[in-house]
Amino acid sequence: MRKEAGGSPERAGPPDDRRDSGDEHLRRARRARRARRARAEARHASDHDDDESLRAFGYKPELKRTLGNFHTFAAGISYISILTGTFQLFYFGVKFAGPAYWWSWPMVFLGQLMVALCFCELAASYPVAGSVYNWSKKLGGPHVGWLGGWMMTTATMVSLAAVALAYQVTLPQISGFFQFVGTGRGTTDAAQNAVLLGTVLILFTTLVNAYGVKLMASINSAGVMIELIAAVVLVLLLAAHITRGPAAIVRTDGYGAGQPLGYLGAFLTASLASAYVMYGFDTASSLGEESRDPSRNAPRAILRALIASFLIGGLILLFALLAVPDLHAKALAVDGLQYVVLSTLGPTVGQIVLWCVVVAITVCALAVHAAGIRLAFAMSRDNCLPASSLLARVSPRFGTPVAPAVVIGLVAVCILLLNINQPQIFSVITSIAIIMIYVAYLLVTTPLLIRRLRGAWRPAEGRFSLGRLGLPVNVLAVLWGIGMSLNLAWPRPEVYNATGPHHWYLRWGAFLFVGIVAGGGFTYYWLVQRKRTGVLEAHRSSAQQPPAREQPPPTASP
């Protein structure tokens, strides 16, 4: 039988198919290698651009760029910390304004959104460590910059101590085992136990932050994932147990009776519960020197952290008010969300949620500590703090400033010790720390507004920009900052002298303490530190000193 010309396709096909398959595999491998190479080159170019913007400040790159998109987002959202803030302060809002206090949450969000949008433009233009300090310095000059950095650094150390106290609000409700001091019923049992638990937490955050940003970011990111999942699950569980309609959050129920401003006065007092939560989103940009492509990623991280906190936190608060069995229970204004969770979801599910709150408190303290380290490092690099050369030193082993981690941890523990027998004084100082952060934000947004009005502000080309909305947004940010700072500082006895003995200096503590910190600190700066300010030699960019020209090699004589 004659064989067909060209051979049998059944026999010829498989080798060709295998060859085609092998060629396709090689082409895909080459494309993948080219894509990886292109991403690496783009990353290198981006890092180079960000290093150039760092050199524009006169600094040389020293910190390692190891953080990605989620790390920067996690840093911002863990500082805000949905579960920490809502569980720590829900009782305060309900106590003074009842269920309708919920409306302070969107109010504070809108005000802080104006500030965050201004920060996004600055993060895109100046992706440097210690963002608030460097931004206020760039916009308002070295004196404004020092004051902004000083206020923010001091407030951060107090905030770290305040966050550490949140362990006492949650751990003993999980188990009596965590009440190491007394039974918890004594006059100072809770305060002393809070110091013990808080000190352990601060020791942990000090060790992790001193070890390096990569470990901190890994723990923080894992903790944020747990917090976000737990928060979403909590929203769903509370939604499934709703027992009343939305009308519950529009009733004033007699709150504010007898006050000069009526319910508005009660609402403004209760709004502090929301104002205490929604700040710290600038942490995403404060890690700019350790992030990849921070001029693009930091603005996104700031907005995502703030918006996610608003949405999830707002739903937790709303559904908690609609699901709690008794809206007028006294425990609601004492134990807050912990009472809602345990009474609504039962002890087993409730304790699981409370353990997630413990995780949220832990990563919140970690992020607050990390932000404080970057602020202290940034100011010390400019020789703006005592022992600056030590505080600005980057460990060659860990790649992070170790001394600021230790100093901030020690100061926070010392602040905690005030809580042992004088918890009322500590509540005053904690409230004032939040005011100082709002004032520090004003020392950024106000100089930025002045620059806009003078036509001297130009956002980074090709980066985040508010365009024509920049001026109205900036005006609203400044007005919001002034208004909320006054609201926070107002000498209310409910906030600054809630229980006896009553003292005038406690009631006016905000004005006194802020005045002492700002006035005393700035006097020291003006008389002593101002004369030393300038980038330390060890941290100065070589671009500031042009290299000597090379001489051509001598030519041999003929």
Side-chain angles (χ1 to χ4, degrees), residues 122-202:
L122 291 165
S125 300
Y126 310 125
V128 290
S131 49
V132 167
Y133 161 69
N134 272 309
W135 294 344
S136 54
K137 180 184 74 174
K138 192 76 172 178
L139 297 169
H143 306 330
V144 174
W146 188 91
L147 185 59
W150 172 250
M151 298 284 277
M152 193 72 182
T153 303
T154 307
T156 299
M157 290 187 287
V158 180
S159 294
L160 175 59
V163 172
L165 280 181
Y167 262 6
Q168 178 64 25
V169 180
T170 305
L171 281 173
Q173 292 208 44
I174 294 175
S175 170
F177 169 81
F178 294 105
Q179 184 64 44
F180 298 107
V181 179
T183 61
R185 298 177 183 176
T187 307
T188 59
D189 285 0
Q192 292 177 8
N193 198 66
V195 172
L196 177 61
L197 294 175
T199 300
V200 172
L201 175 56
I202 292 172

Side-chain angles (χ1 to χ4, degrees), residues 82-83 224-239 308 311-313 315-316 319 353:
I82 306 162
L83 295 183
V224 166
M225 283 298 298
I226 293 172
E227 180 178 5
L228 289 175
I229 293 170
V232 171
V233 171
L234 179 59
V235 167
L236 297 175
L237 289 173
L238 290 173
L311 292 174
I312 301 175
L315 289 174
I316 289 174
F319 292 154
V353 172

Side-chain angles (χ1 to χ4, degrees), residues 361-449:
I361 294 168
T362 304
V363 295
C364 178
L366 203 58
V368 173
H369 203 153
I373 293 168
R374 273 70 195 171
L375 275 163
F377 167 74
M379 294 187 73
S380 300
R381 186 168 53 181
D382 281 348
N383 201 23
C384 282
L385 293 176
S388 284
S389 58
L390 175 64
L391 293 173
R393 186 179 301 159
V394 177
S395 167
R397 179 181 178 186
F398 302 118
T400 194
V402 174
V406 176
V407 170
I408 290 171
L410 287 174
V411 172
V413 170
C414 289
I415 295 171
L416 272 182
L417 295 176
L418 290 172
N419 198 57
I420 291 181
N421 295 315
Q422 297 290 340
Q424 188 168 213
I425 291 178
F426 187 84
S427 68
V428 171
I429 295 175
T430 303
S431 301
I432 292 164
I434 313 303
I435 301 170
M436 291 166 62
I437 290 175
Y438 275 75
V439 171
Y441 283 1
L442 269 173
L443 290 172
V444 175
T445 55
T446 304
L448 178 60
L449 177 59

Side-chain angles (χ1 to χ4, degrees), residues 20 35-36 59 81 108 165 183 200 203 251 270 322 335 359 411 430 439 457 501 537:
D20 290 344
R36 284 196 298 270
Y59 309 135
S81 192
V108 171
L165 280 181
T183 61
V200 172
L203 176 62
R251 294 200 309 262
L322 301 183
D335 297 325
V359 172
V411 172
T430 303
V439 171
W457 170 248
E537 185 65 34

